[in-house]
């Protein structure tokens, strides 16, 4: 269970795991933030579009009513001219009162003038200058000339006539001069602020009236995507105008081509102004996301450091649990656990396995006579000498005091005795100088081989311990092999000092 917990801690402490989980959380967070911003932006544009289309519809109805009134005035005047060919319209008070009352009801939107037919250059270049009398969709018979500037007042007027097939007997024609300044002033009261604009254009892009902070805005639209791309496809729509940089800012536009007059009403709103609320909301959303991202990153980084520290401590604890703190060789617990694994493997595969117990002869006398510091040097020297005689896969452990154990996988008892003799010889050559003289010492070794009847590590270690006792009883500095369960015990004297 402890090993399993350590393994789980090590898995969670891997930098890849912590980084991956952090990135997944941040990716999910920012995906939600981006998706919410996109949805909120689309909703804001849609709401602005609805408001612009409503305003466009209202202006369309207002403009249609104004020009229908103008159509009525011109029709009444034309009828009067037709019915009274002998009268002088300039001096007829009845006609003047009729025209003045209709003009006043329009709020001085236009002025009716009586001109000789075909004498005005602005009208000659317009549809009204021809003899055709084409009816616009919806019933209008108005024709529009080019805007002209009144030299006396410097105000711009739009000439409007009703084309007729038969010229009047007096050669006169009623012309309505629409005051575009008054029309623009009315639009200015309706436009959205700040940055909003309203414009009235002819289908060919001629600017008739506009209300905008930027006076060139409507002229730039006449040659832009609105007239070249959108208007030919749909007579009315809401679009986002994103012209090339430097031409004009990004705009939201709602336009409508009047079905009964050759006019186009356009309502504009600055994109940034329309989406100012969304931008503020988006800024706070991004700041909130950053407020979560930064602490999450810091927590992940600190957690990574903490987990790595815990993993390092776990490794250190594991090393302390499996090794002897003084000599660095395996601990008794780790040795017994490894021996159990090797014993089980031996029983499955029928491989040889040998164990040796080494005991420093008279180790207590060394501690009592020379001190524990010298005793520690003796233990280190024995561990170093024993490791020098073992293979890399062999396991050396300290069992406590001056006793060591050696695990020899894939080794028969005869080979184990040779190794034991080599270790004993190397230890016999050790000399440790002290203040009280040179310290020399020897070891006694008991060896045993695993058999098919061994059911636990205790059986194997017990036979090795009995062999070690036999070596000590025979005079120390000896190697004794434990008898197998099927053989008689050998004479200790015959196996010592090889």
């Amino acid at each position: 269970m402890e090993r399993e917990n350590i393994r789980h801690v090590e898995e969670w402490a891997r930098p890849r795991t912590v980084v991956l989980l952090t990135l997944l959380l941040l990716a999910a967070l920012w995906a939600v933030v981006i998706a919410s911003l996109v949805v909120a932006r689309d909703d804001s544009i849609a709401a602005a579009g609805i408001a612009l289309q409503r305003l466009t519809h209202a202006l369309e109805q207002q403009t249609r009513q104004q020009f229908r009134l103008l159509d009525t005035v011109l029709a009444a005047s034309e009828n009067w001219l037709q019915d009274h060919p002998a009268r002088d319209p300039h001096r007829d008070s009845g006609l003047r009162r009729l025209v003045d009352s209709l003009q006043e009801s329009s709020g001085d939107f236009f002025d009716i003038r009586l001109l000789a037919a075909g004498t005005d250059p602005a009208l000659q270049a317009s549809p009204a200058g021809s003899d055709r009398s084409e009816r616009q969709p919806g019933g209008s018979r108005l024709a529009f000339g080019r805007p002209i500037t009144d030299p006396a007042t410097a105000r711009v007027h739009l000439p409007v006539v009703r084309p007729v097939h038969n010229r009047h007997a007096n050669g006169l024609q009623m012309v309505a001069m629409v005051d575009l300044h008054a029309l623009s002033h009315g639009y200015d009261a309706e436009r959205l602020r700040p940055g909003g604009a309203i414009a009235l254009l002819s289908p060919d892009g001629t600017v008739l009236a506009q209300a905008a902070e930027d006076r060139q805005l409507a002229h730039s639209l006449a040659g832009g995507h609105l007239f070249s791309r959108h208007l030919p496809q749909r007579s009315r729509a809401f679009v986002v105008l994103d012209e090339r940089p430097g031409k004009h800012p990004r705009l939201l536009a709602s336009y409508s081509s009047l079905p009964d007059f050759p006019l186009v009403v356009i309502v504009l709103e600055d994109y940034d102004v329309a989406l100012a609320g969304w931008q503020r909301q988006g800024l706070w959303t991004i700041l909130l996301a950053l407020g979560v991202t930064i602490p999450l990153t810091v927590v992940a980084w600190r957690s990574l450091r903490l987990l790595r520290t815990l993993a390092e401590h776990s490794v250190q604890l594991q090393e302390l649990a499996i090794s002897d703190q003084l000599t660095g060789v395996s601990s008794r617990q780790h040795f017994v656990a490894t021996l159990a694994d090797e014993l089980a493997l031996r029983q499955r595969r029928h491989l040889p396995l040998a164990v040796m117990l080494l005991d420093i002869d008279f180790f207590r006398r060394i501690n009592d006579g020379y001190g524990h510091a010298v005793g520690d040097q003796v233990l280190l020297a024995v561990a170093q000498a024993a490791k020098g005689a073992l293979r890399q896969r062999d396991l050396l452990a300290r069992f406590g005091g001056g006793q060591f154990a050696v695990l020899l996988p894939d080794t028969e008892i005869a080979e184990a005795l040779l190794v034991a003799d080599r270790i004993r010889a190397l230890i016999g050559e050790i000399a440790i100088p002290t203040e009280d003289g040179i310290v020399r010492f020897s070891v006694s070794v008991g060896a045993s081989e695993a058999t098919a009847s061994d059911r636990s590590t205790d059986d194997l270690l017990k036979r090795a311990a009995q062999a070690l006792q036999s070596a000590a009883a025979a005079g120390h500095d000896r190697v004794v092999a434990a008898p197998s369960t099927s053989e008689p015990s050998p004479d200790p004297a015959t196996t010592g000092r090889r």
Side-chain angles (χ1 to χ4, degrees):
M1 180 62 69
E2 182 179 357
R3 291 182 180 180
E4 188 71 16
N5 293 335
I6 293 175
R7 185 178 64 83
H8 286 315
V9 171
E10 291 176 349
E11 289 179 355
W12 278 96
R14 292 176 182 174
R16 181 183 300 176
T17 303
V18 177
V19 171
L20 181 60
L21 288 176
T22 304
L23 290 178
L24 288 176
L25 289 175
L26 292 179
L29 170 65
W30 283 100
V32 172
V33 169
I34 293 173
S36 64
L37 290 177
V38 171
V39 171
R41 182 200 61 186
D42 294 342
D43 291 343
S44 298
I45 292 176
I50 293 174
L52 289 179
Q53 287 178 316
R54 288 176 178 173
L55 180 56
T56 303
H57 180 72
L59 291 172
E60 178 185 354
Q61 296 300 321
Q62 175 184 332
T63 304
R64 182 180 290 112
Q65 290 176 2
Q66 290 173 327
F67 280 94
R68 281 180 177 174
L69 175 61
L70 180 60
D71 189 16
T72 302
V73 173
L74 289 176
S77 301
E78 293 289 347
N79 290 333
W80 189 93
L81 291 176
Q82 293 286 348
D83 296 337
H84 305 87
R87 292 188 184 183
D88 184 2
H90 293 93
R91 298 183 179 183
D92 190 271
S93 59
L95 177 61
R96 189 72 262 170
R97 286 195 301 272
L98 173 64
V99 172
D100 289 344
S101 63
L102 293 175
Q103 181 178 345
E104 185 179 357
S105 66
S106 70
D108 294 329
F109 167 63
F110 59 87
D111 182 23
I112 299 297
R113 298 180 184 180
L114 197 60
L115 301 177
T119 60
D120 195 309
L123 296 178
Q124 290 176 359
S126 70
S130 66
D131 291 334
R132 293 181 302 161
S133 180
E134 297 180 357
R135 185 178 297 271
Q136 297 291 336
S140 174
R141 299 177 60 187
L142 295 181
F144 296 79
R146 296 192 306 270
I148 58 177
T149 302
D150 188 345
T153 62
R155 298 172 76 92
V156 181
H157 295 85
L158 176 67
V160 181
V161 298
R162 282 175 58 88
V164 293
H165 293 288
N166 299 318
R167 296 297 180 186
H168 305 143
N170 51 22
L172 298 177
Q173 184 177 18
M174 304 298 288
V175 180
M177 305 299 291
V178 178
D179 189 348
L180 296 182
H181 177 76
L183 189 60
S184 299
H185 183 72
Y187 287 162
D188 190 68
E190 300 291 338
R191 73 179 180 91
L192 300 174
R193 288 175 172 80
I198 297 175
L200 181 67
L201 289 82
S202 62
D204 62 357
T206 302
V207 180
L208 303 178
Q210 64 172 322
E213 296 174 2
D214 181 6
R215 302 301 297 178
Q216 297 298 320
L217 181 59
H219 294 279
S220 65
L221 289 176
H225 292 164
L226 181 62
F227 273 80
S228 63
R229 181 183 303 173
H230 301 292
L231 192 59
Q233 296 179 359
R234 292 182 293 176
S235 61
R236 65 183 66 227
F238 166 74
V239 296
V240 179
L241 297 179
D242 193 5
E243 303 285 352
R244 57 182 179 271
K247 194 167 185 179
H248 59 68
R250 198 175 189 186
L251 299 170
L252 301 179
S254 173
Y255 68 89
S256 175
S257 179
L258 275 64
D260 46 357
F261 296 103
L263 299 171
V264 179
V265 177
I266 302 175
V267 179
L268 303 169
E269 186 176 10
D270 186 273
Y271 182 90
D272 293 331
V273 174
L275 270 68
W278 169 78
Q279 291 173 349
R280 288 192 297 270
Q281 177 185 354
L283 177 60
W284 284 109
T285 302
I286 291 175
L287 290 177
L288 180 61
L290 288 175
V292 174
T293 299
I294 295 175
L296 182 61
T297 304
V298 173
V299 169
W301 178 71
R302 293 182 65 87
S303 299
L304 179 61
R305 291 189 59 186
L306 177 60
L307 290 173
R308 293 183 65 178
T309 301
L310 291 175
E312 292 174 358
H313 289 172
S314 298
V315 171
Q316 294 175 359
L317 292 175
Q318 186 177 11
E319 291 179 353
L320 291 176
I322 66 175
S323 61
D324 177 64
Q325 188 173 1
L326 175 63
T327 60
V329 299
S330 175
S331 65
R332 182 188 184 103
Q333 294 83 355
H334 181 248
F335 182 88
V336 173
T338 306
L339 176 59
D341 295 339
E342 291 291 339
L343 187 60
L345 181 64
R346 187 264 177 199
Q347 292 177 347
R348 290 196 305 269
R349 299 184 180 180
H350 305 288
L351 300 174
L353 177 66
V355 172
M356 298 187 302
L357 292 179
L358 288 73
D359 191 38
I360 301 175
D361 296 328
F362 310 108
F363 180 67
R364 180 175 297 180
R365 295 181 184 178
I366 296 175
N367 276 333
D368 294 342
Y370 294 94
H372 288 279
V374 175
D376 292 343
Q377 294 183 42
V378 170
L379 293 173
L380 289 170
V382 170
Q384 190 66 29
K387 286 192 292 186
L390 298 176
R391 300 169 301 182
Q392 186 174 2
R393 62 176 304 186
D394 298 334
L395 182 63
L396 174 65
R398 183 185 174 198
F399 266 31
Q403 190 174 93
F404 292 82
V406 179
L407 175 61
L408 301 171
D410 298 336
T411 304
E412 296 180 350
I413 188 61
E415 297 173 332
L417 295 177
L418 296 176
V419 174
D421 267 332
R422 190 159 55 248
I423 294 175
R424 185 181 60 81
L426 291 173
I427 293 175
E429 298 175 358
I430 297 174
I432 300 177
T434 67
E435 296 178 354
D436 298 324
I438 302 298
V439 176
R440 296 182 179 277
F441 48 89
S442 61
V443 293
S444 300
V445 182
S448 64
E449 183 178 8
T451 63
S453 60
D454 291 330
R455 292 291 178 263
S456 66
T457 58
D458 293 339
D459 297 339
L460 185 57
L461 290 175
K462 183 176 181 180
R463 294 200 305 274
Q466 292 173 351
L468 179 61
Q469 292 176 358
S470 300
H476 302 286
D477 193 18
R478 293 175 180 274
V479 176
V480 175
S484 63
T485 55
S486 58
E487 296 179 346
S489 177
D491 185 1
T494 63
T495 58
R497 292 188 180 274
R498 303 191 175 190

